[in-house]
Amino acid sequence: MTRMTPEDHSADSSLAALLETARAWSAEDPDLATRAELDELVARAESGDAAAESDLADRFDGTLEFGTAGLRGALGAGSNRMNRVVVTRAAAGLAAYLRAQGDGRPVVIGYDARYNSDVFARDTAEVLTGAGYRAHVLPRPLPTPVLAYAIRELDCSAGVMVTASHNPPQDNGYKVYLGDGSQIVPPADAGIAQQIAAVGPVSQVPRGTAGAVLTEDVVDRYLDTVAGLAADGPRDLALVYTPLHGVGAASVLQVLETAGFPEPRVVAEQAEPDPDFPTTPFPNPEEPGAMDLALALAAEHGADLVVANDPDADRCAAAVPTDQGWRVLRGDEVGALLAHHLLERGVTGTFAASIVSSTLLGAMARARGQRFAQTLTGFKWIARAEGLAFGYEEALGYCVDPEHVRDKDGVSALLLLCELAASLKAAGRTLVDVLDDLAREHGLHATDQLSVRVEDLALIPAAMERLRAQPPSRLGGLAVERVEDLSEGSAELPPTEGLRYWLAEGARVVVRPSGTEPKIKCYLEVVLPVEGGTSAPREAVDAARISAAGRLDAVKADVRAAAGL
């Protein structure tokens, strides 16, 4: 007879507790699909299936954390997944938080076209109305900036957008805004999380109606407001556009038409919303290959410009033709172009960028006598810059109209970029010409990124600890002159996990974990003067770009080695 060891008893006890937790969760799940999914896993784990037990353990490894990005994670059953139980608790916690703040104004809810986005929006509305709040629901899957606009336009206490933005198809998310139209920041996130933790059984959460579905009027007001940002001017522009299987197409096409632009060629394979994102596994225009279909269409038809949105259309990417083929612009380059356009139009106020974005915006703002502000990463921080006139982050997010949308908006950014490109075309110039002018005036600010996706999340804090324990003294041949541990905070910035290295000759490196994906990100910048200054020929700018590319490669290699990546 085989005698059981203490380890065997411990394993049996652990499995029994896990199964009990899973059964209890299943019993209160209102979704038949996720309940069946979980029941099947429980049965397999009971029969000794190790893979099923491991899957169950991951699904109940704590609760999907509510933070300044709200909720975001893989769809599925369990407390550590996105599902109706987790969303119901989040909505109940939000209602309790608003009640504690004494704010009884309505809440507006939007959603994209991902799997279950409409279901999660309906659950949110029912919980909010059950808590005594009026819930306004946007009429159909729409871009995130429409939701940000509606919060301010309808004088709401908060807004909820059900979206996972540019995450992979298996994910969904839950983004919360408060009444000024900005995403939540501390301590509101902790306050909401505390209320979520206090929610009792889901079956006891009061539910009301599915809210009041708004008419298209609020959508039309948003689109007219965006279209009105374009001034009179040239409109001749051969444009290719892709929404990357997201919800941006209808809004973008209407805005361009209202503003007087010719209809763009839309990538047919990516034109309609599709939660499977069949042509790109990571529907993020930053990802290599995501814009390939658009670039091929542009090359076929001799387009002047390619523009793209991410699936919830709060980001905008662009590509331009060059003598060497199509060139996808970096987010920092698009940010500089939009800032240049607004400064040329006489826009005044604070020009803001995140700490991982290029320092070029600061030089541009100061040269025009405008205030510059640096913030932590994310529009939840950028939108709060005092006197904001324009804000951007290198991850393709731009706020060009903070009066109406206090968040990144890929629709309005796209329109103003088209306006600039059309004006330049009429003058025989291009967007690249403007970038060259900025390099001549302020030095060539070249940026790059090292982004490492991990399966084992423990690798991220290990890399950060390694960098703290063994800080590099040189990166890419440049001396590290100063190191900032961003987790300590400063007079200008609240604490956040990250490290910033100031290098010789104006170079800079920031290393931080991603807030929304299992990645560690390293943001690199070098600054090189252009020989000849403002009168330098194009060849001098090109030479500076070649030199900068080599220097960035060297910095990237050293950062990778230093972080153990």
Side-chain angles (χ1 to χ4, degrees):
M1 179 176 177
T2 303
R3 190 179 297 273
M4 292 187 71
T5 67
E7 289 79 10
D8 293 329
H9 283 292
S10 176
D12 284 349
S13 175
S14 176
L15 175 58
L18 178 60
L19 294 174
E20 183 180 351
T21 298
R23 290 192 187 99
W25 195 94
S26 179
E28 69 169 0
D29 186 1
D31 190 319
L32 295 179
T34 46
R35 186 188 299 174
E37 173 188 322
L38 192 58
D39 291 346
E40 189 263 342
L41 268 178
V42 166
R44 285 172 48 203
E46 278 186 305
S47 68
D49 186 328
E53 182 179 347
S54 176
D55 191 357
L56 272 182
D58 183 61
R59 289 167 182 264
F60 291 95
D61 183 19
T63 301
L64 196 63
E65 185 177 348
F66 188 94
T68 51
L71 297 167
R72 194 175 293 186
L75 290 161
S79 60
N80 196 29
R81 297 286 189 272
M82 278 295 297
N83 50 65
R84 294 184 65 191
V85 173
V86 168
V87 165
T88 297
R89 291 183 179 280
L94 174 61
Y97 175 82
L98 293 174
R99 189 182 302 110
Q101 301 301 306
D103 195 335
R105 291 175 296 162
V107 178
V108 61
I109 303 158
Y111 57 99
D112 66 9
R114 284 178 178 263
Y115 286 116
N116 274 0
S117 286
D118 56 342
V119 176
F120 295 160
R122 185 175 65 247
D123 282 334
T124 299
E126 290 178 356
V127 171
L128 286 165
T129 56
Y133 281 87
R134 287 174 293 156
H136 300 313
V137 183
L138 292 180
R140 53 187 167 87
L142 285 161
T144 292
V146 179
L147 183 278
Y149 170 86
I151 297 168
R152 296 167 72 88
E153 179 71 5
L154 302 176
D155 189 28
C156 292
S157 63
V160 173
M161 184 69 193
V162 183
T163 178
S165 188
H166 57 279
N167 275 38
Q170 65 269 23
D171 289 359
N172 211 329
Y174 197 84
K175 188 181 292 187
V176 176
Y177 297 73
L178 291 180
D180 64 350
S182 300
Q183 298 176 48
I184 55 171
V185 296
D189 59 335
I192 297 171
Q194 185 177 13
Q195 295 289 356
I196 292 171
V199 174
V202 167
S203 60
Q204 295 179 17
V205 173
R207 284 182 176 259
T209 69
V213 177
L214 295 167
T215 67
E216 290 288 329
D217 179 61
V218 69
V219 182
D220 290 339
R221 294 206 300 275
Y222 162 79
L223 296 173
D224 288 344
T225 298
V226 173
L229 295 174
D232 292 337
R235 293 292 187 264
D236 177 27
L237 191 69
L239 190 65
V240 164
Y241 169 69
T242 176
L244 286 182
H245 302 293
V247 296
S251 297
V252 165
L253 294 179
Q254 184 171 329
V255 161
L256 289 172
E257 180 183 5
T258 302
F261 283 90
E263 183 176 355
R265 296 182 185 275
V266 181
V267 177
E269 300 93 329
Q270 299 172 333
E272 296 299 322
D274 187 334
D276 288 319
F277 305 106
T279 66
T280 174
F282 296 103
N284 179 352
E286 286 185 295
E287 292 282 346
M291 292 176 63
D292 283 358
L293 290 175
L295 299 179
L297 185 63
E300 179 183 352
H301 294 281
D304 299 314
L305 179 66
V306 170
V307 282
N309 290 130
D310 67 336
D312 69 325
D314 64 350
R315 300 171 192 242
C316 174
V320 294
T322 70
D323 294 340
Q324 292 76 42
W326 281 87
R327 170 182 160 194
V328 178
L329 298 179
R330 301 192 65 84
D332 284 315
E333 293 175 315
V334 175
L337 288 168
L338 290 170
H340 165 81
H341 188 42
L342 293 172
L343 287 165
E344 287 291 305
R345 285 172 50 167
V347 171
T348 60
T350 298
F351 286 69
S354 66
I355 57 172
V356 300
S357 302
S358 173
T359 57
L360 174 58
L361 182 65
M364 294 171 62
R366 288 188 288 269
R368 297 296 187 95
Q370 302 304 312
R371 183 173 179 269
F372 171 67
Q374 267 197 334
T375 75
L376 293 185
T377 306
F379 260 84
K380 55 185 174 283
W381 299 108
I382 295 170
R384 285 176 164 76
E386 184 178 353
L388 183 66
F390 168 74
Y392 96 93
E393 61 181 357
E394 53 72 45
L396 309 180
Y398 316 97
C399 176
V400 300
D401 183 22
E403 179 184 352
H404 296 103
V405 177
R406 210 158 185 82
D407 195 15
K408 56 184 177 289
D409 183 346
V411 180
S412 56
L414 183 152
L415 174 67
L416 291 193
L417 192 64
C418 290
E419 180 184 44
L420 174 59
S423 297
L424 291 167
K425 180 181 178 181
R429 306 189 77 226
T430 68
L431 294 173
V432 173
D433 290 332
V434 173
L435 292 173
D436 288 351
D437 289 346
L438 294 173
R440 293 182 181 100
E441 182 178 358
H442 304 291
L444 179 71
H445 289 64
T447 59
D448 199 358
Q449 185 182 129
L450 170 63
S451 179
V452 180
R453 184 180 295 270
V454 301
E455 295 293 332
D456 180 2
L457 292 179
L459 294 175
I460 295 177
M464 299 301 297
E465 178 56 33
R466 175 172 174 152
L467 287 169
R468 287 189 170 96
Q470 302 172 33
S473 59
R474 299 183 71 81
L475 291 170
L478 297 171
V480 177
E481 297 181 337
R482 183 161 55 100
V483 181
E484 288 180 78
D485 190 336
L486 299 174
S487 67
E488 297 174 356
S490 66
E492 295 79 27
L493 297 171
T496 187
E497 175 58 0
L499 295 163
R500 179 161 56 175
Y501 301 89
W502 296 100
L503 313 184
E505 301 178 29
R508 183 220 63 198
V509 173
V510 179
V511 183
R512 60 179 286 272
S514 170
T516 57
E517 297 178 273
K519 290 181 176 181
I520 186 167
K521 293 187 172 183
C522 311
Y523 305 84
L524 324 173
E525 180 176 31
V526 298
V527 183
L528 276 74
V530 175
E531 188 173 346
T534 56
S535 60
R538 177 71 173 271
E539 292 75 18
V541 181
D542 290 341
R545 281 204 173 91
I546 293 170
S547 296
R551 183 166 288 184
L552 284 170
D553 285 344
V555 172
K556 183 186 294 187
D558 285 355
V559 170
R560 182 185 289 274
L565 299 173

